[in-house]
């Protein structure tokens, strides 16, 4: 119904499950700070096979999720298609989603994952204080990344991979 | 049936096998088997190991928050919770289902058809078709949607696109993919614009064709190996679900119909607002999930199944022509009043998917969905009950509020809870008939999961942060010592052996 924007930022998570809200909250912050002519923001509870179709036709795609693996406040990394086991559940990993994309359409566009460190994920919890600090740093980073044209954004994304060496908050 | 395998007479000294968690289902559950020295199954249970606390999550909130809030209970069927809550909250503002404007009623039904269509497409094509197309005992590396896309690209792509279409219906009706506020107390907050309606109409004929193909596919898969498909995991049970006043299948609003395994009617057009008189829930010490039963029949005989198989079994007809023709064929194949095959859940599910596609087309051609008459008001009440047929079965939301509009009591019976006994019986049937006395292998253990997956259970809300949701398989010897362990992390890494 509207023209496809060249940059996709896709955040996923459940806003009522504590730090699982990090992805949706980052998008909420970015929507007020980043121009939406180039960037399309999509939020969902979890990744599913049909989201492969959202990647189609993009110049660059960035997934945003809470991470229990991130050793830093946030980690920005390149994603490649990977046949992991998450496709056997209702919720897929972004790498598995790229694998689905590859099976459907061939090589996916350059795709990245912004994982924001979270600690606690119980139903009904609010964001933990540590996660809130991590979110603020991730928002700063994402605002810097998502400026200019799609080519500028892609160049900036490639430049910061491997992950930024950021101080861990006390 | 197989209830004698719920609890072993003498568990001491038995070998224990654990499948934890069950994969390709929503949430976290595990199966435990107790085996004697000859590998004969003495006990088999499906446990739900996460306490969800949904009611606590809801209590203390203002009621008007609930239609949005309850969507967060489940990442897979948020719209089902949204609509069940909306129906309950209609009553809190003094509006009964019959009072809704035609536009609001039809928009909610359209939203619901979109939800059921996408959920059924996900379950069949993504989670179950690998088992059904390649075989339960096929190479584990093949039992996934990627292999389906590789070997059956047309079928795989249809599944992806059917799911996408259902999501688009939800997005157009509610305004957003998630957290939409389509339904509000007393009605809907927006109609479809002409552009939105036309956008959805563009693809509906293609969606209908795919849905018909899906029904043909599952029928051919099921009938190609008829004795096995009719017997595997099969149990006889009562069935419960909503029904239209004329006996037609109903997904959004109706009375409750329950039938016995022989098709005798237990209750019909029962007012769901009196559900507490109809259903009781039993607690068993070994599972967080309760065991509901029809009070009049008692605990032993009153358990029932819900969901696609129950709905297709219970209804007199389906009021869309293609799905009705498919239903007639489905019922004929069984040769008796009710179809009990657990694997027939898949067939029934796809008949419903076809019904949803037909229902969407009918509603998109109805100008009421673009009407601005969306809201009605009434006098405040202190109690509201909303029931719908969610993709997995009958879903109950029940709230009480105080003078300040705060929820003081909430009770939810989710579909999977109603199928708890059925899933356990199916697990025990497979354990007794297909596993007992044999050397346990991964394909045999997968057959347990195949039985559970047929119900499309939603065992808990998803939390999917990177690094969550591993799978663990333990082998425990007769003395209770763990002697081997296999862990599968969500990123695909395997860890084998004892730490």
């Amino acid at each position: 119904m509207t023209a496809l924007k060249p940059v996709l930022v896709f955040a996923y998570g459940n806003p009522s499950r504590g730090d699982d809200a990090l992805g949706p909250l980052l998008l909420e912050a970015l929507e007020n700070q980043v121009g939406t002519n180039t960037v399309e923001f999509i939020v969902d509870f979890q990744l599913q096979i049909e989201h492969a179709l959202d990647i189609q036709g993009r110049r660059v795609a960035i997934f945003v999720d809470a991470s229990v693996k991130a050793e830093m406040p946030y980690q920005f990394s390149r994603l490649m298609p990977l046949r992991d086991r998450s496709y056997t559940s209702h919720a897929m990993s972004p790498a598995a989603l790229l694998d689905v994309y590859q099976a459907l359409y061939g090589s996916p566009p350059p795709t990245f994952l912004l994982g924001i460190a979270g600690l606690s994920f119980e139903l009904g919890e609010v964001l933990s204080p540590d996660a809130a600090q991590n979110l603020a740093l991730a928002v700063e980073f994402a605002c810097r990344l998502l400026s200019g044209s799609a080519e500028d954004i892609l160049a900036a994304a490639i430049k910061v991979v491997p992950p930024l060496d950021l101080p861990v908050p006390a | 049936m197989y209830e004698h395998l719920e609890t072993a007479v003498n568990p001491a000294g038995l070998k224990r096998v654990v499948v934890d968690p069950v994969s390709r289902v929503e949430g976290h559950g595990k199966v435990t088997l107790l085996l004697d020295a000859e590998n004969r199954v003495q006990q088999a249970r499906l446990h739900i190991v996460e306490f969800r606390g949904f009611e606590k999550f809801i209590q203390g909130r203002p009621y008007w928050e609930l239609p949005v809030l309850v969507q967060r209970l489940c990442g897979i069927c948020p719209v089902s919770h949204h609509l069940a809550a909306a129906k309950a909250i209609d009553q809190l503002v003094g509006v009964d289902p019959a009072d809704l404007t035609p536009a609001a009623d039809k928009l909610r039904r359209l939203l619901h058809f979109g939800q059921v269509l996408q959920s059924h497409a996900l379950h069949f094509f993504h989670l179950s078709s690998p088992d059904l197309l390649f075989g339960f005992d096929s190479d584990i590396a093949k039992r996934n949607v990627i292999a389906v896309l590789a070997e059956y690209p047309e079928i795989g792509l249809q599944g992806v696109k059917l799911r996408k279409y259902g999501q688009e219906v939800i997005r157009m009706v509610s305004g957003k993919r998630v957290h939409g506020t389509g339904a509000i107390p007393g009605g809907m907050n927006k109609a479809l614009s002409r552009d939105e309606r036309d956008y959805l109409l563009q693809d509906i004929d293609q969606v209908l064709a795919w849905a018909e193909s899906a029904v043909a596919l599952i029928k051919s898969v099921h009938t190609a190996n008829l004795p096995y498909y009719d017997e595997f995991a099969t149990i006889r049970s009562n069935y419960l679900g909503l029904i239209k006043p004329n006996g037609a299948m109903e997904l959004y609003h109706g009375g409750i119909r329950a039938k016995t395994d022989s098709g005798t009617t237990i209750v019909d057009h029962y007012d769901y607002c009196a559900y507490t008189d109809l259903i009781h829930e039993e607690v068993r010490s070994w599972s967080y999930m309760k065991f509901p039963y029809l009070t009049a029949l008692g605990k032993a005989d009153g358990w029932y199944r819900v969901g696609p198989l129950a709905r297709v079994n219970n209804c007199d007809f389906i009021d869309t022509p293609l799905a009705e023709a498919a239903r007639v064929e489905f019922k004929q194949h069984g040769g008796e009043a009710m179809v009990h095959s657990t694997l027939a859940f898949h067939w029934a599910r796809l008949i419903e998917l076809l019904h949803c596609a037909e229902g969407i087309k009918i509603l998109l051609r109805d100008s009421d969905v673009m009407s601005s008459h969306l809201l009605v008001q009434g006098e405040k009440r202190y109690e509201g009950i909303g029931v719908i047929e969610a993709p997995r079965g009958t879903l109950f939301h029940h709230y009480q509020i105080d003078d300040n509009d705060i929820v003081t009591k909430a009770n939810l019976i989710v579909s999977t809870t109603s199928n708890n006994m059925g899933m356990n019986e199916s697990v025990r049937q497979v354990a007794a008939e297909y596993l007992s006395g044999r050397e346990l292998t991964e394909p045999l253990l997968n057959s347990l999961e195949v039985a559970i997956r047929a119900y499309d259970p939603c065992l808990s809300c998803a939390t999917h942060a990177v690094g969550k949701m591993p799978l663990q398989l333990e082998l425990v010897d007769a003395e209770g010592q763990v002697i081997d362990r296999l862990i599968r992390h969500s990123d695909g890494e395997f860890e084998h052996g004892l730490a």
Side-chain angles (χ1 to χ4, degrees), chain B residues 4-275:
Chain B
H4 63 285
L5 293 180
E6 179 180 328
T7 302
V9 177
N10 182 13
L14 297 175
K15 277 192 296 189
R16 184 166 179 258
V17 175
V18 182
V19 181
D20 180 14
V22 176
S23 64
R24 278 184 277 156
V25 300
E26 175 70 4
H28 194 158
K30 70 175 180 181
V31 174
T32 59
L33 304 176
L34 293 187
L35 312 175
D36 65 17
E38 282 76 45
N39 281 338
R40 287 179 303 222
V41 176
Q42 301 296 316
Q43 178 177 301
R45 292 172 173 176
L46 168 65
H47 309 247
I48 304 306
V49 292
E50 182 181 0
F51 179 67
R52 292 184 284 190
F54 286 172
E55 286 84 356
K56 195 177 169 197
F57 175 62
I58 291 166
Q59 284 163 10
R61 305 274 192 161
Y63 74 77
W64 59 80
E65 282 186 1
L66 297 190
V68 172
L69 194 69
V70 297
Q71 295 178 64
R72 299 172 185 175
L73 295 175
C74 177
I76 288 299
C77 49
V79 173
S80 302
H81 286 295
H82 175 66
L83 286 174
K87 286 180 73 177
I89 291 163
D90 285 345
Q91 294 183 348
L92 296 178
V93 300
V95 176
D96 288 315
D99 301 331
L100 286 183
T101 68
D105 181 74
K106 288 172 186 174
L107 283 162
R108 286 188 184 184
R109 287 175 183 275
L110 181 58
L111 182 63
H112 194 36
F113 279 141
Q115 156 76 2
V116 176
L117 185 138
Q118 62 84 15
S119 178
H120 283 359
L122 176 73
H123 181 261
F124 179 72
F125 289 97
H126 187 186
L127 302 179
S128 291
S129 72
D131 293 319
L132 304 175
L133 294 173
F134 299 126
F136 306 165
D137 56 354
S138 59
D139 179 1
I140 189 172
K142 277 182 85 172
R143 291 200 302 263
N144 58 73
V145 71
I146 303 291
V148 174
L149 284 165
E151 294 203 23
Y152 302 92
E154 201 176 325
I155 292 170
L157 189 57
Q158 283 174 14
V160 174
K161 290 189 171 179
L162 277 167
R163 162 96 176 159
K164 177 73 174 178
Y165 185 80
Q167 295 289 56
E168 286 298 277
V169 171
I170 293 168
R171 187 166 72 91
M172 291 298 120
V173 176
S174 68
K176 284 182 171 182
R177 291 187 185 213
V178 292
H179 319 148
T181 53
I184 55 177
M188 292 289 285
N189 78 345
K190 73 179 270 295
L192 281 185
S193 68
R194 189 166 294 277
D195 281 351
E196 289 168 336
R197 193 275 311 263
D198 292 347
Y199 168 70
L200 293 174
L201 270 175
Q202 275 174 22
D203 295 327
I204 188 61
D205 286 328
Q206 180 63 73
V207 165
L208 260 171
W210 288 334
E212 281 191 87
S213 302
V215 173
L217 172 65
I218 190 61
K219 181 188 158 197
S220 70
V221 167
H222 194 111
T223 55
N225 201 354
L226 198 56
Y228 185 75
Y229 266 69
D230 273 353
E231 288 162 18
F232 176 84
T234 291
I235 51 172
R236 298 182 74 88
S237 71
N238 305 308
Y239 297 93
L240 181 144
L242 297 182
I243 202 82
K244 275 187 167 72
N246 62 2
M249 175 186 279
E250 175 59 64
L251 298 177
Y252 174 69
H253 181 71
I256 293 175
R257 172 180 282 181
K259 287 188 174 183
T260 65
D261 65 328
S262 59
T264 304
T265 301
I266 303 166
V267 293
D268 209 359
H269 307 297
Y270 186 93
D271 178 4
Y272 63 63
C273 289
Y275 80 96

Side-chain angles (χ1 to χ4, degrees), chain A residues 14 16 50 68-69 87-88, chain B residues 24 72 144 163 466 491:
Chain A
N14 186 335
S16 290
E50 77 278 8
V68 292
K69 281 186 161 178
Y87 52 71
T88 66
Chain B
R24 278 184 277 156
R72 299 172 185 175
N144 58 73
R163 162 96 176 159
V466 178
D491 57 5

Side-chain angles (χ1 to χ4, degrees), chain B residues 353-395:
Chain B
L353 182 141
L354 179 57
H355 170 56
C356 290
E358 290 182 285
I360 288 168
K361 184 171 181 177
I362 291 167
L363 287 171
L364 288 176
R365 287 179 162 176
D366 188 328
S367 59
D368 278 347
V369 297
M370 294 185 291
S371 162
S372 57
H373 299 293
L374 296 172
L375 265 181
V376 287
Q377 293 180 320
E379 291 293 316
K380 175 179 174 174
R381 300 177 200 163
Y382 289 85
E383 186 166 36
I385 297 172
V387 179
I388 64 162
E389 284 296 323
R392 293 161 185 80
T394 319
L395 171 65

